[in-house]
Amino acid sequence: MDEIVYPSTLTNGKTRDEIVRLLQKRLDEVRFQHCLRVEKTARELARRYHEDVDRAGLAGLLHDYAKQIPVADYRQLIKTGPYDPALLVYGRGVWHGVVGIAYIEREVGITDKRVLQAIARHTTGDPEMTPLDEIIFLADFIEPARTLDSEKQARKAAKTDLTEATLIELSSTLTYLVGARKLIFPKTLDTYNALLQRSESN
Ligand SMILES: [Fe+2]
């Protein structure tokens, strides 16, 4: 594989190696390897859909940076604001995107709004998801180590239709959450409704 180099304007001067080392400090090996695969998958999707390959790659690489931050740290951060206290009833599954970007800004120094937004939205979706947001959301779900039927189905759909593939992922995730009697973040349901209407009007 050709070596990936990110423009320093996007990383505020950090090299990819430096970013990788920071990521490794925050994650166990399994999660770290997942991030490398999501980076690669996100770059491929961006190429396919004519989106910014470096923004997609960087967001893919860092999407789970804050996945293993201690729960107590998250609670503390949410309580001190400026976050909606309603977030407290959810867990790291939601927090590591929406709240996790605070750690990425502070510790990695990434300030690019589109990169941070895509990372923020990868745990919740958003009714106004951009193609870059969809790419990160989806790359997480279809990276090569994912083998469930819904993941394979989304991977296939992602070859031709980004929103359709995103809908397959949303449908699968919501079905899982209901089946397991887990809370649904309202914005995720709103995202499903919005994308379904968007896809039906096409
Ligand atoms: Fe994640």
Side-chain angles (χ1 to χ4, degrees), residues 31 34-35 63-65 67 92-93 96-97 119 122-123 140 146:
R31 180 66 49 186
H34 162 71
C35 288
H63 81 291
D64 272 353
Y65 178 86
K67 180 97 177 187
R92 275 194 296 194
H96 78 275
I119 295 173
H122 96 272
T123 60
D140 188 15
R146 306 281 197 191

Side-chain angles (χ1 to χ4, degrees), residues 80-100:
T80 51
Y83 300 98
D84 182 351
L87 273 169
L88 285 169
V89 300
Y90 299 92
R92 275 194 296 194
V94 165
W95 298 337
H96 78 275
V98 188
V99 186

